[in-house]
């Protein structure tokens, strides 16, 4: 097994499994902190294309959301290819802060183990998840801080677990712990209009006004106005913000 102890060994400075940049990684390329796995029974999916959202809430109650796509069918799909790979920025160097930043939403990378699943062949869809804070520090969080939604509907019973190798317990014992979190009580989950997107919202523009592209229920909208000179309607553009 190649030891990914430097950026060159690992294939680039952005690599997650790089002890030169990420002390939560061992020299045998195991990520020991901030790595999780979710499983969901294939029977939860109808046949066709689906969007799966993962919400992770940090210890301050601030949620972050990211999504991925997959398809399910009764027939095999040739050359469907593997699932997406993780893209997330880790911290440039490890520091031991007095307070870990909990004001900003967690950054999340989510990737299914394959792009296409087949009824009768696959029993579960497995999702690999990597979580950091805004500074790129990998976060250790309990399973009840995670939620999963399929096509906009939260799925109860999704199983989340920490993903780590057998050598991780000893390795993590050598790392200093953060004392606590710097929190902002106004940035909590499930509050429409606080500017923090959660898994039940299509948008959150920081207000409870309708007519601005994101309505009072945090649903995307298209606002149609009439130009007085021609009477022809035009569509105000809006931006759909995603975490990644």
């Amino acid at each position: 097994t190649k030891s990914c102890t430097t950026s060159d060994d690992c294939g680039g400075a952005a690599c997650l499994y790089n002890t030169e940049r990420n002390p939560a990684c061992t020299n045998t390329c195991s990520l020991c902190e901030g790595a999780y796995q979710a499983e969901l029974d294939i029977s939860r999916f109808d046949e066709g294309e689906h969007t799966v959202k993962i919400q992770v809430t940090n210890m301050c109650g601030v949620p972050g959301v990211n999504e991925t796509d997959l398809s399910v069918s009764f027939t095999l799909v040739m050359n469907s290819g593997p699932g997406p790979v993780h893209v997330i920025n880790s911290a440039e160097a490890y520091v031991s802060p007095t307070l870990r930043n909990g004001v900003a939403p967690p950054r999340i990378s989510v990737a299914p183990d394959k792009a296409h699943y087949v009824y009768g062949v696959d029993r579960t869809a497995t999702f690999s998840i990597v979580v950091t804070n805004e500074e790129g520090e990998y976060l250790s969080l309990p399973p009840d801080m995670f939620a999963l939604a399929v096509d906009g509907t939260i799925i109860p019973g999704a199983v989340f677990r920490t993903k780590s190798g057998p050598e991780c317990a000893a390795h993590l014992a050598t790392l200093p712990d953060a004392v606590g979190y710097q929190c902002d009580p106004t940035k909590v989950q499930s509050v429409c209009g606080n500017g923090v997107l959660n898994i039940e919202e299509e948008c959150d523009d920081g207000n409870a006004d309708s007519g601005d592209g994101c309505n009072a229920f945090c649903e995307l909208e298209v606002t149609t106005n009439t130009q007085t000179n021609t009477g022809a309607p035009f569509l105000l553009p809006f931006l759909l913000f995603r975490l990644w």
Side-chain angles (χ1 to χ4, degrees):
T1 301
K2 181 174 66 174
S3 295
C4 301
T5 56
T6 70
S7 296
D8 290 338
D9 292 338
C10 194
C15 185
L16 298 175
Y17 306 97
N18 180 358
T19 55
E20 187 178 64
R21 181 166 179 162
N22 173 17
C25 170
T26 69
N27 61 6
T28 57
C29 303
S30 294
L31 184 60
C32 292
E33 192 172 35
Y36 306 88
Q37 183 172 293
E39 295 180 356
L40 192 62
D41 195 310
I42 288 296
S43 64
R44 297 271 192 170
F45 296 91
D46 294 328
E47 187 174 15
E49 303 285 335
H50 299 279
T51 297
V52 176
K53 289 185 177 181
I54 301 290
Q55 174 174 292
V56 181
T57 304
N58 69 16
M59 299 304 288
C60 290
V62 180
V65 181
N66 199 5
E67 65 184 47
T68 188
D69 298 315
L70 56 84
S71 63
V72 183
S73 73
F74 288 96
T75 57
L76 292 172
V77 175
M78 301 301 295
N79 300 320
S80 62
V85 297
H86 287 294
V87 178
I88 197 167
N89 291 324
S90 58
E92 291 292 343
Y94 189 83
V95 295
S96 180
T98 302
L99 290 175
R100 182 168 265 177
N101 180 6
V103 176
R107 294 182 173 181
I108 306 159
S109 177
V110 54
D113 59 340
K114 58 174 70 176
H116 181 79
Y117 297 86
V118 180
Y119 296 116
V121 176
D122 301 302
R123 296 184 60 185
T124 59
T126 301
F127 304 90
S128 174
I129 306 162
V130 177
V131 184
T132 76
N133 65 5
E134 190 174 50
E135 281 71 40
E137 299 166 324
Y138 291 81
L139 300 184
S140 293
L141 298 166
D144 60 357
M145 309 301 264
F146 292 75
L148 184 150
V150 176
D151 300 327
T153 301
I154 296 178
I155 305 298
V159 178
F160 293 90
R161 58 173 59 91
T162 301
K163 183 180 178 182
S164 62
E167 73 277 24
C168 283
H171 181 75
L172 290 176
T174 66
L175 301 180
D177 294 325
V179 176
Y181 280 79
Q182 177 187 359
C183 298
D184 180 348
T186 67
K187 302 296 185 181
V188 296
Q189 62 178 343
S190 301
V191 178
C192 179
N194 69 347
V196 178
L197 185 71
N198 70 60
I199 199 169
E200 297 174 303
E201 298 173 337
E202 294 180 0
C203 57
D204 195 320
D205 57 0
N207 64 63
D209 300 328
S210 295
D212 58 359
C214 183
N215 68 21
F217 302 99
C218 287
E219 300 168 334
L220 289 170
E221 61 183 4
V222 177
T223 303
T224 303
N225 287 349
T226 302
Q227 294 176 314
T228 57
N229 58 338
T230 63
F234 69 97
L235 299 182
L236 292 177
F238 62 87
L239 298 177
L240 174 59
F241 286 92
R242 291 182 57 181
L243 295 179
W244 299 99

